[in-house]
């Protein structure tokens, strides 16, 4: 367990070649056929192909798709505020992130914001429930995708077939009808068919302006990666926004300041949540970063040693096959690096202060060549989500949720026991 930031640097970046796997002995099947589980040249090759999917240009264009979902979230929260009843906010945000990743990742309109019983959500749950009755939907998803390692007597073939069928239907429809949509699956189809993907510009320009040449990928690769976007992007983002709201209920001054910034920025941009407007939400970014410090969704960063490694200036040799766990939560909450770590203080990440943070002590998205590819997307989605939730509404914690929170013990991603119950009031 590397605790020292220098060692974290060594493992994730400096001597990355010795630690280039997340996990060892990954079974060869669809659900593990993705970037997160690859090592060595397979990983290098796939990472090179996938990197152009996540450029700033692509994020800007995908924002339009994301904003459609934000609109639905806005209507839902308005309804909630009118009822004056407390509500479990993580569930609401999870419906938003399901729809976002369903739309941006799978190209599917899940409509779970409007309808909790939407087919995609329910079908997914049904299928996962078949495999085991005890484990939560998302834990199962993480298990299936190998983000949690545990021997499970599960038969995944039904689930794999379901997702393969859903993605196949989307890909075939788009190919036959020449559909172009601003989402990940469109970029992946280009990768599959042309071995190249294009840099989106803006709506009025030719979206095939700038072509980035890479080798193609197979249909199975496409399914594997799209599934990874779902597992990597859904729960992590909803967890981030939910913990941000939890902290904001405890710090009304910070909540007010953030709301003020959101309103000011949107006023400057004629009420439109453009990419540029989001860039100007500096305080919002600090709030998200501080949330990710206190509550990193991936509390542990896995690495596997792939070649014997002698730790410099010591006799210690880490043997090939050794599994390493970088304790992200522990490092982020260490008073040596973050004074008063239990205090929620977004100013740690203000433009004036952020240079004071020691390298390799803030790693919610990992670090080095394997750093999270969806970082920009996650930040954009979280900013949009918080801006929609806070612009016109105030949140206070309902008495049924204790603070500090109690966590469930059987989930890989930090999860508040009983959910986060809040009161929502319209402040217009
Ligand atoms: C707040 C939200 C998120 C957090 C905290 C997060 C965190 C992480 C972390 C810690 C890793 C491992 C990095 C390492 O080993 O150094 C990772 C990998 C990854 N994430 Fe994220 N993630 C988030 C959202 C997303 C989203 C939205 C997507 C895609 C749409 C995504 C796609 C990926 C991919 C593809 C990898 C594998 C990278 C590789 O192994 O080369 N993530 N993420």
């Amino acid at each position: 367990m590397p605790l020292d930031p220098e060692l974290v640097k060594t493992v994730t970046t400096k001597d990355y070649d010795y630690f280039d796997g997340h996990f060892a002995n990954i079974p060869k099947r669809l659900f593990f056929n993705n970037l997160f589980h690859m090592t060595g040249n397979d990983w290098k090759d796939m990472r090179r192909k996938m990197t152009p999917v996540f450029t700033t240009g692509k994020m800007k264009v995908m924002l339009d798709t994301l904003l459609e979902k934000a609109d639905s979230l806005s209507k839902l929260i308005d309804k909630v505020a009118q009822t004056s009843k407390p509500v479990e906010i993580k569930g609401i945000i999870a419906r938003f992130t399901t729809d976002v990743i369903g739309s941006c990742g799978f190209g599917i309109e899940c409509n779970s914001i409007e309808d909790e019983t939407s087919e995609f959500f329910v079908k997914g749950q049904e299928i996962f429930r078949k495999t085991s009755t005890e484990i939560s939907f998302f834990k199962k998803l993480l298990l299936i995708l190998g983000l949690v390692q545990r021997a499970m007597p599960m038969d995944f073939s039904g689930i794999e077939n379901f997702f393969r069928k859903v993605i196949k239907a989307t890909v075939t429809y788009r190919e036959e009808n020449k559909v172009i949509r601003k989402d990940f699956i469109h970029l992946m189809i280009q990768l599959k068919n042309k071995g190249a993907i294009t840099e989106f510009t803006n709506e009025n320009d030719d979206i095939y302006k700038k072509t980035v040449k890479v080798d193609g990928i197979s249909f199975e690769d496409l399914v594997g990666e799209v599934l990874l976007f779902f597992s990597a992007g859904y729960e992590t983002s909803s967890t981030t926004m939910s913990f941000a709201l939890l902290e904001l209920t405890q710090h009304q001054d910070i909540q007010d300041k953030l709301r003020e910034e959101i309103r000011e920025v949107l006023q400057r941009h004629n009420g439109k949540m453009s990419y540029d407007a989001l860039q100007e939400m500096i305080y919002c970014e600090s709030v998200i970063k501080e949330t990710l410090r206190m509550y990193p969704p991936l509390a542990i960063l896995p690495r596997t040693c792939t070649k014997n490694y002698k730790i410099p200036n010591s006799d210690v040799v880490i043997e090939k096959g050794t599994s390493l766990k970088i304790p992200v939560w522990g490092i982020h909450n260490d008073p040596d690096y973050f004074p008063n770590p239990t205090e929620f203080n977004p100013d740690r990440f203000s433009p004036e202060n952020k240079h004071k943070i020691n390298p390799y002590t803030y790693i919610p998205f990992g670090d080095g060549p394997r750093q999270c590819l969806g970082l920009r997307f996650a930040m954009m989605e979280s900013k949009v989500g918080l801006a929609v939730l806070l612009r016109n509404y105030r949140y206070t914690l309902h008495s049924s949720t204790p603070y500090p929170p109690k966590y469930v013990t059987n989930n890989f991603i930090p999860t508040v026991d009983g959910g986060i119950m809040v009161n929502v009031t319209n402040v217009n």
Side-chain angles (χ1 to χ4, degrees):
M1 188 175 277
L3 286 171
D4 185 287
E6 264 311 302
L7 271 183
V8 174
K9 179 179 172 183
T10 301
V11 168
T12 58
T13 309
K14 201 169 133 267
D15 290 327
Y16 168 77
D17 282 351
Y18 291 81
F19 304 97
D20 72 346
H22 276 140
F23 302 116
N25 306 321
I26 302 298
K28 287 229 171 301
R29 59 180 311 151
L30 177 63
F31 277 113
F32 302 102
N33 180 31
N34 60 51
L35 202 55
F36 201 88
H37 295 97
M38 291 175 180
T39 53
N41 286 335
D42 288 350
W43 171 79
K44 265 191 198 137
D45 191 41
M46 188 54 84
R47 178 92 186 193
R48 186 174 53 82
K49 289 173 182 170
M50 298 299 300
T51 299
V53 173
F54 289 89
T55 59
T56 305
K58 306 294 189 316
M59 296 305 107
K60 280 186 184 171
V61 174
M62 242 176 276
L63 177 61
D64 288 346
T65 310
L66 209 163
L67 287 178
E68 285 170 21
K69 304 297 142 199
D71 225 35
S72 309
L73 175 65
S74 173
K75 287 184 186 130
L76 175 63
I77 208 70
D78 199 48
K79 261 195 218 153
V80 168
Q82 282 172 30
T83 67
S84 312
K85 286 191 188 139
V87 67
E88 204 287 296
I89 198 70
K90 169 86 190 282
I92 288 189
I93 296 174
R95 281 155 68 186
F96 168 60
T97 56
T98 301
D99 281 5
V100 168
I101 207 70
S103 181
C104 292
F106 286 71
I108 291 170
E109 295 307 324
C110 310
N111 296 327
S112 43
I113 297 179
E114 282 93 0
D115 174 13
E116 271 176 279
T117 60
S118 78
E119 201 191 343
F120 186 81
F121 199 67
V122 171
K123 185 80 180 158
Q125 287 198 321
E126 226 176 72
I127 283 163
F128 287 104
R129 215 176 293 130
K130 270 187 201 154
T131 60
S132 154
T133 49
E134 297 155 358
I135 309 167
S136 74
F137 172 72
F138 294 108
K139 180 113 187 250
K140 277 171 210 156
L141 194 56
L142 291 167
L143 282 161
I144 290 158
L145 293 163
L147 297 180
V148 179
Q149 284 180 300
R150 194 173 114 190
M152 292 282 297
M154 281 189 190
D155 172 11
F156 297 138
S157 50
I159 302 162
E160 287 176 336
N161 287 340
F162 168 73
F163 279 113
R164 195 185 274 111
K165 230 162 82 186
V166 168
I167 296 170
K168 177 90 187 157
T170 306
V171 171
T172 308
Y173 179 81
R174 291 201 183 183
E175 286 175 348
E176 285 178 3
N177 296 285
K178 306 217 174 338
V179 175
I180 294 175
R181 199 167 168 271
K182 298 166 180 177
D183 57 22
F184 286 119
I185 209 158
H186 171 64
L187 300 170
M188 301 298 289
I189 292 171
Q190 289 184 54
L191 258 184
K192 179 174 86 63
N193 293 345
K194 300 182 187 167
I197 61 170
T198 51
E199 197 70 57
F200 292 124
T201 52
N202 71 49
E203 253 182 88
N204 303 320
D205 293 337
D206 173 11
I207 65 168
Y208 288 110
K209 274 255 159 81
K210 188 175 147 201
T211 301
V212 180
K213 274 268 173 208
V214 286
D215 313 325
I217 57 168
S218 67
F219 175 71
E220 288 296 286
D221 288 340
L222 182 151
V223 179
E225 298 306 335
V226 170
L227 277 174
L228 174 62
F229 298 162
F230 185 63
S231 67
Y234 163 82
E235 181 76 339
T236 46
S237 303
S238 61
T239 298
T240 306
M241 286 178 253
S242 315
F243 276 117
L245 273 190
L246 174 72
E247 283 301 325
L248 292 172
T249 63
Q250 302 304 297
H251 302 277
Q252 292 294 326
D253 53 336
I254 297 177
Q255 193 182 136
D256 287 342
K257 186 171 168 182
L258 178 53
R259 187 176 302 106
E260 218 159 281
E261 178 189 75
I262 292 164
R263 288 177 167 191
E264 264 174 31
V265 170
L266 290 180
Q267 207 169 9
R268 275 202 298 279
H269 289 263
N270 303 321
K272 190 163 164 28
M273 227 180 282
S274 62
Y275 194 82
D276 290 344
L278 294 176
Q279 294 308 105
E280 286 174 30
M281 293 183 190
I282 310 280
Y283 192 64
C284 187
E285 183 148 333
S286 299
V287 166
I288 296 168
K289 286 183 171 165
E290 175 66 343
T291 306
L292 286 167
R293 179 192 69 77
M294 277 178 83
Y295 306 100
L298 289 193
I300 285 173
L301 211 54
R303 286 289 185 277
T304 291
C305 178
T306 47
K307 284 185 252 179
N308 280 0
Y309 181 78
K310 184 173 167 304
I311 298 181
N313 310 319
S314 85
D315 298 331
V316 180
V317 173
I318 302 176
E319 284 181 16
K320 179 179 170 182
T322 307
S323 157
L324 283 82
K325 309 274 181 243
I326 301 171
V328 182
W329 188 291
I331 294 173
H332 282 189
N333 284 280
D334 186 329
D336 285 348
Y337 308 131
F338 296 97
N340 303 321
T342 54
E343 186 198 344
F344 184 73
N345 176 10
D347 290 337
R348 298 179 206 268
F349 294 92
S350 69
E352 310 79 60
N353 290 336
K354 62 183 179 191
H355 70 276
K356 295 180 196 155
I357 296 168
N358 289 348
Y360 296 92
T361 59
Y362 182 68
I363 45 174
F365 292 103
D367 215 323
R370 274 209 106 112
Q371 196 183 40
C372 174
L373 255 185
L375 187 158
R376 283 197 201 94
F377 187 80
M379 289 303 289
M380 180 170 89
E381 183 183 17
S382 303
K383 270 189 184 174
V384 168
L386 286 181
V388 165
L389 290 169
L390 284 154
R391 183 169 35 181
N392 296 322
Y393 307 96
R394 175 179 306 286
Y395 297 82
T396 53
L397 197 61
H398 186 256
S399 53
S400 58
T401 300
Y403 184 91
K406 288 202 175 81
Y407 301 100
V408 299
T409 51
N410 64 347
N411 212 340
F412 180 69
I413 291 195
T415 307
V416 176
D417 199 3
I420 303 173
M421 294 298 294
V422 295
N423 307 301
V424 189
T425 345
N426 194 321
V427 287
N428 264 337

